Amino acid sequence: MAAAAVSRTFLLFHPKLLEGSRIFSYSPRHRRNVPLLLRRSSSRSAAQPTLEAPAWKLDSIAGIPNVVDILQERGLVESITSESIRSACSNPSVSPLKVYCGFDPTAESLHLGNLLGLIVLSWFRRCGHKAVAVIGGATGRIGDPSGKSLERPELDVETLEKNSAGIKNFISNILGSGNLDAETGNEKTLDVGSEKGSIFDTGVRENASLNSHSENNVNSNVGIEKNAALDSRLDDSFTILNNYDWWKDITLLDFLREVGRFARVGVMMAKESVKKRLMSEEGMSYTEFSYQLLQGYDFLYLFKNMGVNVQIGGSDQWGNITAGTELIRKILQVEGAYGLTFPLLLKSDGTKFGKSEGGAIWLSPSMLSPYKFYQYFFSVPDVDVVRFLKILTFLSMEEIQELEEEMKKQGYVPNTAQRRLAEEVTRFVHGEEGLAEALKATETLRPGAETKLDWETIEGIAEDVPSCCLAYDQVLNSSLVDLSVSTGLLSSKSAARRLMKQGGLYLNNRRVDNEVKMIEAGDIVDGKVLLLSAGKKNKMVIRIS
């Protein structure tokens, strides 16, 4: 069979690749050992850069706090492949690190589990390093078996393309504006002169823009060729790539000959994600078994061609990350590639944080409104809130400690810490506009709130609470007790009367204690809608047709 292609990894579009300084150079004696897949991609005649960083980069991390120490203090480090990463990330004699995190397009939106990857990337940026987000246009066709008991369903090309585009835009918004000062629009970084490590406007680095993606295919030879136009903006602090661009021309025979021969089957089988699946009833397919090599090669390619020297991921990615560092060490015969994993997002009882009764907590506002996203964090129990403030926000440790101390004092207003957590995370994910939307909806839905309701405000939160549609004559002059039962808000008239006596039944956020209350024309907001509330959490929006 002639040069069979890895068909399940063919996908998507063709972006421009980031040109970055490499952290090593090859000697002639090493070059002959470099596989052709890599040799082809480095065939430029220009002299190879050396370990010495360009002068313009030396000041970018000099004196900046050690990002690994910061992450560890906040509970964001599970494992590192080498202690050398600590010195590498704060050594002013070398270039800033380039750190990448991968995101497979298995859904239209990223979810809460992916948020930690974006936060850790942002911490590296705030400490003067470069962030690279890699969308798995190729690896998404395989499906990462890590943490999964069954093989992922295969997605068609159209779905993967749609998912990739949505995730690319979302990451661009997060990394492009999530680290910007609200007043100046400039990128934030750590103020090294502040004992609290507060955030300040550098006044130098402007908003990093997303690399433009070219969708035009460029002719290339077999193997990996750097046929995408290189981005000349070396000072951009983040880049988004798609790994389909270096996988689309690799044949199966080339990959097995030039990469597979460096992988030991015993080591691959010893990976935790593989062992668990092999012991399961379903077992593991060869396709899934090969995933760690595909991700490992991603790291190898990025290290060699773009100077990316750190890969980050959740603790379940340890096997995939070390597969990459091993390939770099064996094939390129150099050191300097590092891996860092962060803990999975768990609650204090050990269960996964990021699931609700309605399913996953999505990051895209098209799949989960900023209001619901905000409410999810607002409802975090006291036992978890301080830890989540450390992990999920950029507040200084001193400020978090102050909040923790306030929680122990008499007179502490319940949910003050949760409110701060919800505000900070919602702002990072949805921006100031999303946070404002969430706060407005929260105030609108609060029973007893003084906020004047209007039709647009209630319609804005209708997707987030139960709703029904009734004819005007079915509502006008109806008993509030009857209406609360017929709409499904309460189970019985006796339950409605009992709640009313307890002061827990609301009409348009106003408490009703009159059992014979009838709906009047003036109660119908703008002649279009009613809002019923049973206690603080149970709502019903009634649209009037």
Side-chain angles (χ1 to χ4, degrees), residues 51-54 57-58 61-62 87-88 90-96:
L51 275 169
E52 185 177 356
K57 291 186 175 181
L58 295 182
I61 61 171
S87 57
S90 59
N91 186 348
S93 66
V94 298
S95 303

Side-chain angles (χ1 to χ4, degrees), residues 388-526:
F388 289 162
L389 281 167
K390 295 176 182 178
I391 292 173
L392 298 172
T393 78
F394 299 94
L395 296 177
S396 70
M397 294 296 286
E398 288 77 9
E399 187 169 356
I400 294 172
Q401 186 176 0
E402 290 172 5
L403 284 168
E404 185 176 16
E405 292 300 321
E406 287 295 321
M407 293 177 67
K408 301 173 184 177
K409 295 179 181 178
Q410 278 191 332
Y412 168 75
V413 179
N415 293 326
T416 298
Q418 282 87 343
R419 182 176 294 107
R420 189 64 189 277
L421 172 67
E423 289 176 356
E424 293 296 323
V425 180
T426 304
R427 181 183 291 110
F428 179 75
V429 173
H430 295 292
E432 292 292 345
E433 289 186 7
L435 175 59
E437 177 186 331
L439 292 175
K440 182 178 180 181
T442 299
E443 180 65 17
T444 299
L445 289 171
R446 182 172 63 86
E450 297 297 326
T451 304
K452 183 179 179 180
L453 295 178
D454 55 50
W455 169 73
E456 289 185 351
T457 300
I458 296 177
E459 271 297 315
I461 53 95
E463 293 184 0
D464 299 318
V465 298
S467 63
C468 65
C469 187
L470 295 175
Y472 188 85
D473 57 5
Q474 289 181 281
V475 175
L476 189 65
N477 297 321
S478 295
S479 163
L480 178 60
V481 170
D482 291 343
L483 199 60
S484 65
V485 175
S486 63
T487 58
L489 178 66
L490 293 167
S491 59
S492 65
K493 293 182 181 180
S494 60
R497 293 190 182 98
R498 183 165 57 251
L499 184 63
M500 190 176 286
K501 288 179 180 179
Q502 296 170 349
L505 189 60
Y506 294 81
L507 172 62
N508 298 332
N509 283 345
R510 294 183 178 180
R511 181 180 295 154
V512 178
D513 52 16
N514 182 3
E515 292 187 20
V516 296
K517 165 66 180 175
M518 309 297 286
I519 303 300
E520 303 171 13
D523 294 323
I524 303 175
V525 178
D526 295 337

Side-chain angles (χ1 to χ4, degrees), residues 135-154:
I135 298 174
T139 46
R141 289 293 297 270
I142 301 299
D144 186 358
S146 302
K148 298 295 179 182
S149 57
L150 296 173
E151 188 163 1
R152 295 177 186 266
E154 184 176 356

